[in-house]
Every structure is written in C-alpha cells, then in structure tokens.
Amino acid sequence: MDALAVLASAAFGSTIYLTTFSAVRWLNQMASRAKVMGLVLIGMLLCAVIALVAYASQGVAVGFIVGAGITPPVHRWIQQRRRHVASS
C-alpha cells in the first residue's frame, strides 16, 4: 500500500464529498422534477466513482473511505467556527 496513493485518494474522497454536498444544496432550491432528476444523476455518478475506486486497489479504497469519512465532521466544525467568529 503506497502512502502517497492513500493520501491522494483521501483528498479525492474529500473533494467528492464537498462537491456532492454543494450540488445537493443547489438542487434543493430547484423545482421538484429537476431536483429528482439531479439527485438520480448524482447517485449514478457516485456509484460509478465508488466502483472505480474499488477496482483501483485496496490502498486507494482505504484512502477514499478515510477522506470521505473525515470530511463531514471537519466541514461542520469549520462552518460552526466561521459562524462563531462572524458573530463576535
């Protein structure tokens, strides 16, 4: 397992999470039909990305999962911190 591959795939997993998060927030502002079609498309793209990562190697899969798993709590922490600093 190459450490650089794990680190790079962790960054990729984090990027995928943040991109998906932003796209879903944007889709929530759309009309119902566009929202459903967008969510279906995002789901299909996520399945394809996960399949490619799983096919790559064990190290890449581990890094991807770690990156995608660590990003949500860190993202929430950054958002709360920014709100707290802005209100002071």
PDB file of all heavy atoms in Angstrom, residues 18-38:
ATOM      1  N   LEU A  18     -17.426  17.081  -0.771  1.00  0.00           N
ATOM      2  CA  LEU A  18     -17.759  18.508  -0.797  1.00  0.00           C
ATOM      3  C   LEU A  18     -18.490  18.904  -2.077  1.00  0.00           C
ATOM      4  O   LEU A  18     -19.413  19.731  -2.048  1.00  0.00           O
ATOM      5  CB  LEU A  18     -16.493  19.347  -0.615  1.00  0.00           C
ATOM      6  CG  LEU A  18     -15.862  19.258   0.778  1.00  0.00           C
ATOM      7  CD1 LEU A  18     -14.522  19.964   0.793  1.00  0.00           C
ATOM      8  CD2 LEU A  18     -16.792  19.816   1.823  1.00  0.00           C
ATOM      9  N   THR A  19     -18.115  18.302  -3.194  1.00  0.00           N
ATOM     10  CA  THR A  19     -18.801  18.583  -4.457  1.00  0.00           C
ATOM     11  C   THR A  19     -20.238  18.083  -4.410  1.00  0.00           C
ATOM     12  O   THR A  19     -21.172  18.789  -4.823  1.00  0.00           O
ATOM     13  CB  THR A  19     -18.047  17.919  -5.626  1.00  0.00           C
ATOM     14  OG1 THR A  19     -16.705  18.392  -5.638  1.00  0.00           O
ATOM     15  CG2 THR A  19     -18.709  18.221  -6.951  1.00  0.00           C
ATOM     16  N   THR A  20     -20.434  16.887  -3.893  1.00  0.00           N
ATOM     17  CA  THR A  20     -21.785  16.325  -3.776  1.00  0.00           C
ATOM     18  C   THR A  20     -22.632  17.154  -2.815  1.00  0.00           C
ATOM     19  O   THR A  20     -23.798  17.444  -3.083  1.00  0.00           O
ATOM     20  CB  THR A  20     -21.717  14.860  -3.303  1.00  0.00           C
ATOM     21  OG1 THR A  20     -20.895  14.122  -4.206  1.00  0.00           O
ATOM     22  CG2 THR A  20     -23.085  14.237  -3.234  1.00  0.00           C
ATOM     23  N   PHE A  21     -22.052  17.549  -1.700  1.00  0.00           N
ATOM     24  CA  PHE A  21     -22.755  18.364  -0.715  1.00  0.00           C
ATOM     25  C   PHE A  21     -23.241  19.670  -1.339  1.00  0.00           C
ATOM     26  O   PHE A  21     -24.401  20.066  -1.176  1.00  0.00           O
ATOM     27  CB  PHE A  21     -21.818  18.635   0.475  1.00  0.00           C
ATOM     28  CG  PHE A  21     -22.427  19.461   1.561  1.00  0.00           C
ATOM     29  CD1 PHE A  21     -23.312  18.886   2.468  1.00  0.00           C
ATOM     30  CD2 PHE A  21     -22.115  20.798   1.701  1.00  0.00           C
ATOM     31  CE1 PHE A  21     -23.874  19.636   3.485  1.00  0.00           C
ATOM     32  CE2 PHE A  21     -22.673  21.564   2.701  1.00  0.00           C
ATOM     33  CZ  PHE A  21     -23.553  20.978   3.597  1.00  0.00           C
ATOM     34  N   SER A  22     -22.357  20.341  -2.080  1.00  0.00           N
ATOM     35  CA  SER A  22     -22.727  21.598  -2.729  1.00  0.00           C
ATOM     36  C   SER A  22     -23.793  21.398  -3.800  1.00  0.00           C
ATOM     37  O   SER A  22     -24.722  22.204  -3.925  1.00  0.00           O
ATOM     38  CB  SER A  22     -21.495  22.248  -3.365  1.00  0.00           C
ATOM     39  OG  SER A  22     -20.575  22.591  -2.371  1.00  0.00           O
ATOM     40  N   ALA A  23     -23.662  20.321  -4.577  1.00  0.00           N
ATOM     41  CA  ALA A  23     -24.640  20.055  -5.640  1.00  0.00           C
ATOM     42  C   ALA A  23     -26.021  19.770  -5.060  1.00  0.00           C
ATOM     43  O   ALA A  23     -27.032  20.252  -5.572  1.00  0.00           O
ATOM     44  CB  ALA A  23     -24.176  18.886  -6.499  1.00  0.00           C
ATOM     45  N   VAL A  24     -26.077  19.022  -3.974  1.00  0.00           N
ATOM     46  CA  VAL A  24     -27.375  18.704  -3.356  1.00  0.00           C
ATOM     47  C   VAL A  24     -27.994  19.966  -2.746  1.00  0.00           C
ATOM     48  O   VAL A  24     -29.200  20.178  -2.853  1.00  0.00           O
ATOM     49  CB  VAL A  24     -27.215  17.577  -2.315  1.00  0.00           C
ATOM     50  CG1 VAL A  24     -28.469  17.408  -1.478  1.00  0.00           C
ATOM     51  CG2 VAL A  24     -26.863  16.268  -3.012  1.00  0.00           C
ATOM     52  N   ARG A  25     -27.186  20.820  -2.127  1.00  0.00           N
ATOM     53  CA  ARG A  25     -27.720  22.088  -1.609  1.00  0.00           C
ATOM     54  C   ARG A  25     -28.282  22.944  -2.733  1.00  0.00           C
ATOM     55  O   ARG A  25     -29.332  23.574  -2.583  1.00  0.00           O
ATOM     56  CB  ARG A  25     -26.636  22.856  -0.863  1.00  0.00           C
ATOM     57  CG  ARG A  25     -26.417  22.323   0.529  1.00  0.00           C
ATOM     58  CD  ARG A  25     -25.414  23.095   1.312  1.00  0.00           C
ATOM     59  NE  ARG A  25     -25.712  24.524   1.358  1.00  0.00           N
ATOM     60  CZ  ARG A  25     -24.894  25.419   1.860  1.00  0.00           C
ATOM     61  NH1 ARG A  25     -23.737  25.047   2.347  1.00  0.00           N
ATOM     62  NH2 ARG A  25     -25.211  26.680   1.874  1.00  0.00           N
ATOM     63  N   TRP A  26     -27.593  22.963  -3.866  1.00  0.00           N
ATOM     64  CA  TRP A  26     -28.064  23.726  -5.019  1.00  0.00           C
ATOM     65  C   TRP A  26     -29.346  23.118  -5.576  1.00  0.00           C
ATOM     66  O   TRP A  26     -30.291  23.835  -5.926  1.00  0.00           O
ATOM     67  CB  TRP A  26     -26.959  23.758  -6.076  1.00  0.00           C
ATOM     68  CG  TRP A  26     -27.350  24.473  -7.330  1.00  0.00           C
ATOM     69  CD1 TRP A  26     -27.539  25.816  -7.491  1.00  0.00           C
ATOM     70  CD2 TRP A  26     -27.605  23.883  -8.598  1.00  0.00           C
ATOM     71  NE1 TRP A  26     -27.885  26.093  -8.789  1.00  0.00           N
ATOM     72  CE2 TRP A  26     -27.929  24.915  -9.488  1.00  0.00           C
ATOM     73  CE3 TRP A  26     -27.572  22.577  -9.072  1.00  0.00           C
ATOM     74  CZ2 TRP A  26     -28.233  24.672 -10.818  1.00  0.00           C
ATOM     75  CZ3 TRP A  26     -27.863  22.347 -10.401  1.00  0.00           C
ATOM     76  CH2 TRP A  26     -28.190  23.386 -11.259  1.00  0.00           C
ATOM     77  N   LEU A  27     -29.406  21.777  -5.651  1.00  0.00           N
ATOM     78  CA  LEU A  27     -30.595  21.111  -6.182  1.00  0.00           C
ATOM     79  C   LEU A  27     -31.813  21.319  -5.292  1.00  0.00           C
ATOM     80  O   LEU A  27     -32.942  21.317  -5.781  1.00  0.00           O
ATOM     81  CB  LEU A  27     -30.338  19.615  -6.357  1.00  0.00           C
ATOM     82  CG  LEU A  27     -29.527  19.219  -7.576  1.00  0.00           C
ATOM     83  CD1 LEU A  27     -29.148  17.744  -7.489  1.00  0.00           C
ATOM     84  CD2 LEU A  27     -30.296  19.492  -8.846  1.00  0.00           C
ATOM     85  N   ASN A  28     -31.625  21.488  -4.004  1.00  0.00           N
ATOM     86  CA  ASN A  28     -32.753  21.705  -3.097  1.00  0.00           C
ATOM     87  C   ASN A  28     -33.485  23.003  -3.386  1.00  0.00           C
ATOM     88  O   ASN A  28     -34.617  23.184  -2.958  1.00  0.00           O
ATOM     89  CB  ASN A  28     -32.283  21.678  -1.643  1.00  0.00           C
ATOM     90  CG  ASN A  28     -32.163  20.267  -1.132  1.00  0.00           C
ATOM     91  OD1 ASN A  28     -32.850  19.361  -1.600  1.00  0.00           O
ATOM     92  ND2 ASN A  28     -31.275  20.069  -0.177  1.00  0.00           N
ATOM     93  N   GLN A  29     -32.863  23.907  -4.120  1.00  0.00           N
ATOM     94  CA  GLN A  29     -33.505  25.170  -4.470  1.00  0.00           C
ATOM     95  C   GLN A  29     -34.285  25.070  -5.785  1.00  0.00           C
ATOM     96  O   GLN A  29     -34.973  26.007  -6.160  1.00  0.00           O
ATOM     97  CB  GLN A  29     -32.446  26.262  -4.589  1.00  0.00           C
ATOM     98  CG  GLN A  29     -31.694  26.501  -3.313  1.00  0.00           C
ATOM     99  CD  GLN A  29     -30.514  27.418  -3.511  1.00  0.00           C
ATOM    100  OE1 GLN A  29     -30.273  27.928  -4.595  1.00  0.00           O
ATOM    101  NE2 GLN A  29     -29.759  27.636  -2.439  1.00  0.00           N
ATOM    102  N   MET A  30     -34.168  23.949  -6.473  1.00  0.00           N
ATOM    103  CA  MET A  30     -34.805  23.770  -7.772  1.00  0.00           C
ATOM    104  C   MET A  30     -36.239  23.270  -7.618  1.00  0.00           C
ATOM    105  O   MET A  30     -36.674  22.896  -6.532  1.00  0.00           O
ATOM    106  CB  MET A  30     -34.019  22.742  -8.604  1.00  0.00           C
ATOM    107  CG  MET A  30     -32.629  23.153  -8.905  1.00  0.00           C
ATOM    108  SD  MET A  30     -32.679  24.476 -10.105  1.00  0.00           S
ATOM    109  CE  MET A  30     -31.029  24.420 -10.688  1.00  0.00           C
ATOM    110  N   ALA A  31     -36.940  23.224  -8.755  1.00  0.00           N
ATOM    111  CA  ALA A  31     -38.282  22.651  -8.788  1.00  0.00           C
ATOM    112  C   ALA A  31     -38.199  21.149  -8.522  1.00  0.00           C
ATOM    113  O   ALA A  31     -37.140  20.537  -8.683  1.00  0.00           O
ATOM    114  CB  ALA A  31     -38.916  22.914 -10.146  1.00  0.00           C
ATOM    115  N   SER A  32     -39.307  20.571  -8.137  1.00  0.00           N
ATOM    116  CA  SER A  32     -39.325  19.168  -7.720  1.00  0.00           C
ATOM    117  C   SER A  32     -38.805  18.222  -8.802  1.00  0.00           C
ATOM    118  O   SER A  32     -38.021  17.311  -8.514  1.00  0.00           O
ATOM    119  CB  SER A  32     -40.749  18.782  -7.338  1.00  0.00           C
ATOM    120  OG  SER A  32     -40.794  17.447  -6.913  1.00  0.00           O
ATOM    121  N   ARG A  33     -39.239  18.401 -10.034  1.00  0.00           N
ATOM    122  CA  ARG A  33     -38.828  17.492 -11.123  1.00  0.00           C
ATOM    123  C   ARG A  33     -37.320  17.589 -11.385  1.00  0.00           C
ATOM    124  O   ARG A  33     -36.641  16.586 -11.535  1.00  0.00           O
ATOM    125  CB  ARG A  33     -39.613  17.808 -12.387  1.00  0.00           C
ATOM    126  CG  ARG A  33     -39.330  16.872 -13.525  1.00  0.00           C
ATOM    127  CD  ARG A  33     -40.251  17.185 -14.707  1.00  0.00           C
ATOM    128  NE  ARG A  33     -39.912  16.406 -15.859  1.00  0.00           N
ATOM    129  CZ  ARG A  33     -40.506  15.283 -16.201  1.00  0.00           C
ATOM    130  NH1 ARG A  33     -41.485  14.809 -15.458  1.00  0.00           N
ATOM    131  NH2 ARG A  33     -40.134  14.631 -17.286  1.00  0.00           N
ATOM    132  N   ALA A  34     -36.794  18.799 -11.429  1.00  0.00           N
ATOM    133  CA  ALA A  34     -35.356  18.991 -11.651  1.00  0.00           C
ATOM    134  C   ALA A  34     -34.557  18.435 -10.476  1.00  0.00           C
ATOM    135  O   ALA A  34     -33.473  17.869 -10.666  1.00  0.00           O
ATOM    136  CB  ALA A  34     -35.046  20.470 -11.846  1.00  0.00           C
ATOM    137  N   LYS A  35     -35.089  18.582  -9.265  1.00  0.00           N
ATOM    138  CA  LYS A  35     -34.415  18.073  -8.078  1.00  0.00           C
ATOM    139  C   LYS A  35     -34.282  16.553  -8.140  1.00  0.00           C
ATOM    140  O   LYS A  35     -33.206  16.004  -7.900  1.00  0.00           O
ATOM    141  CB  LYS A  35     -35.184  18.480  -6.817  1.00  0.00           C
ATOM    142  CG  LYS A  35     -34.489  18.091  -5.536  1.00  0.00           C
ATOM    143  CD  LYS A  35     -35.334  18.331  -4.292  1.00  0.00           C
ATOM    144  CE  LYS A  35     -35.931  19.692  -4.225  1.00  0.00           C
ATOM    145  NZ  LYS A  35     -36.662  19.936  -2.979  1.00  0.00           N
ATOM    146  N   VAL A  36     -35.361  15.881  -8.485  1.00  0.00           N
ATOM    147  CA  VAL A  36     -35.346  14.419  -8.556  1.00  0.00           C
ATOM    148  C   VAL A  36     -34.377  13.942  -9.641  1.00  0.00           C
ATOM    149  O   VAL A  36     -33.570  13.038  -9.407  1.00  0.00           O
ATOM    150  CB  VAL A  36     -36.768  13.863  -8.801  1.00  0.00           C
ATOM    151  CG1 VAL A  36     -36.734  12.380  -9.121  1.00  0.00           C
ATOM    152  CG2 VAL A  36     -37.658  14.129  -7.600  1.00  0.00           C
ATOM    153  N   MET A  37     -34.436  14.548 -10.800  1.00  0.00           N
ATOM    154  CA  MET A  37     -33.535  14.149 -11.885  1.00  0.00           C
ATOM    155  C   MET A  37     -32.071  14.405 -11.501  1.00  0.00           C
ATOM    156  O   MET A  37     -31.197  13.589 -11.768  1.00  0.00           O
ATOM    157  CB  MET A  37     -33.885  14.898 -13.176  1.00  0.00           C
ATOM    158  CG  MET A  37     -35.227  14.508 -13.757  1.00  0.00           C
ATOM    159  SD  MET A  37     -35.362  12.758 -14.133  1.00  0.00           S
ATOM    160  CE  MET A  37     -34.183  12.616 -15.443  1.00  0.00           C
ATOM    161  N   GLY A  38     -31.795  15.527 -10.857  1.00  0.00           N
ATOM    162  CA  GLY A  38     -30.434  15.836 -10.422  1.00  0.00           C
ATOM    163  C   GLY A  38     -29.926  14.867  -9.380  1.00  0.00           C
ATOM    164  O   GLY A  38     -28.777  14.427  -9.432  1.00  0.00           O
TER     165      GLY A  38
END
